[in-house]
Amino acid sequence: MNVGTVAVKELRQVMRDPRTMLVILGMPALLLLFYGYVLSFDVKHVGLAVLDRDHTPQSRSLVETLCSQEYFDLIEELKAESEVLPTLVSGRATLVLVIPHGFGQDTTTGQAPALQALIDGSNATMAETAQDYAEAFVASHGARLETLRAAEPVPPPLSMRFHVLYNPDLSSTRFLLPGLMGFILMITCTVATALSVVRERETGTMEQLSVSPLSPWEIVAGKAIPYGALAMVAAGLVMGVARFAFGLRVAGDPAFLVFLLALFVAGAQGLGLLISTITSSQQVAFQVATYATMLPTLLLSGFIFPIRSMPVALQALTTIVPARYFIVALRGVVLKGVGPDVLWPQVLALVVFTSVTLGLSVVRLRRVRL
């Protein structure tokens, strides 16, 4: 037997295994298609809200210029200044444009009208890009006005004053750290608990649990509590490192932050336990848990890549990624200082995620015992 013989034999075995062929041939194309859509640093469809105090054709023309392409989406037209901060805090808009009184008159009399833009800096990538886009569009609009009045003295260009909230220096570290915490907790909690039931089955101790008087809920709780306690300690250490190494302060209620952490950790553990009940070995459980958490959390949670810039189909897919809701809530508490009155949709989504994963884990564990 030579190398060629071994190679031919291995090739025949591979070709007879459709799962291996799918991984070798289909997975690269699928990943390329997936990454090609997601891995893009082009930020589009930035949420824009406008407070128009002028209500003239000139002010409406400016808004139309900003929304003429796919970079800005007009989310809301505000009626009063009191609506500006709630719009930014809720995350509905990334940039709020304030058009002052007299804007239309200034543009026709050769004055230099000054616009104001308030930006949500909790997402540094989106905020910086929104600022660049706004500057470019306003400059383009000002140049177009000058062209229309070529026979008249050229007025000064439009100007815009930017105010970045929640992350004034647009530090990428402040933006990434909350997302990184969600990424780490999702993977570690899910993988650690995914190995628990499988380990019991491989070591033969699952039979002892099966004949014990413990209910499936008690078994799930007994397995989840130690890992959950360790995960909460790890989360505390991560927050400590973020505070002393990077200067990241928690702007919101620490008790609400702990509640969010506990809720998310419990849901991740439920997912890990569910995986452990449907896999046959620790190796398979580890692989399934890694694939189910790492790529979705990294690419589809808004951790790095803005969800609004993704294709509509992928935006719909992100709705089943629990880290998406946790990262939004975490950034809201840590950077914006908001509470459950604003973040209740994210809390509700995490409650559903935790309830579903833990409930399915109990059902599956009951079948495993039977």
Side-chain angles (χ1 to χ4, degrees):
M1 181 179 291
N2 54 26
V3 175
T5 304
V6 174
V8 171
K9 179 185 73 67
E10 192 67 23
L11 179 60
R12 288 176 177 173
Q13 289 181 343
V14 170
M15 294 182 67
R16 291 171 182 169
D17 186 354
R19 290 176 298 181
T20 303
M21 291 295 294
L22 179 63
V23 171
I24 295 175
L25 299 179
M27 190 60 69
L30 180 62
L31 291 178
L32 179 63
L33 180 65
F34 189 75
Y35 289 154
Y37 278 116
V38 177
L39 291 179
S40 173
F41 291 98
D42 295 332
V43 178
K44 300 178 181 179
H45 303 289
V46 177
L48 171 69
V50 176
L51 175 59
D52 188 354
R53 294 171 171 168
D54 197 45
H55 299 290
T56 59
Q58 290 82 0
S59 65
R60 289 191 291 270
S61 175
L62 173 62
V63 176
E64 291 174 359
T65 299
L66 287 171
C67 301
S68 60
Q69 300 183 33
E70 57 185 348
Y71 298 103
F72 285 102
D73 289 340
L74 182 59
I75 303 300
E76 189 173 358
E77 295 184 6
L78 306 181
K79 304 300 182 183
E81 187 174 350
S82 59
E83 299 177 357
V84 172
L85 285 181
T87 302
L88 290 172
V89 166
S90 65
R92 296 195 302 273
T94 300
L95 185 146
V96 174
L97 175 66
V98 180
I99 303 176
H101 292 293
F103 173 81
Q105 182 178 0
D106 289 343
T107 58
T108 57
T109 58
Q111 302 299 318
L115 304 167
Q116 185 181 31
L118 292 91
I119 303 176
D120 178 4
S122 60
N123 187 326
T125 302
M126 183 78 80
E128 189 171 1
T129 305
Q131 180 173 334
D132 293 340
Y133 287 166
E135 288 178 336
F137 275 105
V138 168
S140 174
H141 187 75
R144 187 160 61 90
L145 291 177
E146 293 175 8
T147 302
L148 294 175
R149 293 191 303 269
E152 303 177 9
V154 177
L158 300 178
S159 62
M160 180 175 289
R161 297 190 299 268
F162 289 94
H163 301 275
V164 181
L165 307 179
Y166 315 120
N167 187 10
D169 53 357
L170 291 178
S171 170
S172 60
T173 300
R174 291 176 60 85
F175 155 63
L176 289 175
L177 283 177
L180 186 60
M181 179 183 291
F183 178 71
I184 293 173
L185 287 178
M186 187 68 190
I187 295 175
T188 55
C189 292
T190 303
V191 170
T193 52
L195 303 177
S196 58
V197 174
V198 180
R199 188 184 304 114
E200 298 278 3
R201 193 181 302 126
E202 289 184 345
T203 57
T205 56
M206 189 64 192
E207 288 77 8
Q208 298 178 12
L209 288 176
S210 299
V211 298
S212 69
L214 296 175
S215 67
W217 269 113
E218 291 172 325
I219 295 176
V220 168
K223 289 184 170 297
I225 289 175
Y227 293 107
L230 292 175
M232 293 300 292
V233 172
L237 292 175
V238 170
M239 290 301 301
V241 171
R243 169 68 180 88
F244 293 105
F246 302 102
L248 182 66
R249 298 176 180 271
V250 178
D253 183 5
F256 183 52
L257 176 60
V258 172
F259 169 74
L260 287 174
L261 289 171
L263 187 61
F264 182 67
V265 166
Q269 289 181 304
L271 178 60
L273 289 171
L274 179 61
I275 292 173
S276 70
T277 62
I278 61 178
T279 51
S280 56
S281 67
Q282 293 188 63
Q283 181 179 4
V284 175
F286 177 81
Q287 292 176 346
V288 172
T290 302
Y291 294 150
T293 56
M294 181 173 292
L295 291 180
T297 303
L298 180 64
L299 301 177
L300 299 177
S301 65
F303 169 33
I304 298 177
F305 307 103
I307 293 176
R308 292 182 61 89
S309 300
M310 299 178 186
V312 176
L314 287 181
Q315 290 187 39
L317 187 60
T318 64
T319 58
I320 63 173
V321 178
R324 166 185 176 169
Y325 307 100
F326 177 68
I327 291 174
V328 170
L330 199 59
R331 285 174 178 161
V333 176
V334 174
L335 299 180
K336 299 181 180 180
V338 297
D341 56 325
V342 174
L343 298 174
W344 66 265
Q346 286 73 32
V347 173
L348 180 60
L350 291 176
V351 168
V352 171
F353 164 62
T354 303
S355 303
V356 169
T357 55
L358 289 177
L360 290 178
S361 299
V362 172
V363 173
R364 286 292 309 174
L365 188 59
R366 184 179 292 114
R367 294 181 180 179
V368 169
R369 294 180 69 184
L370 295 177

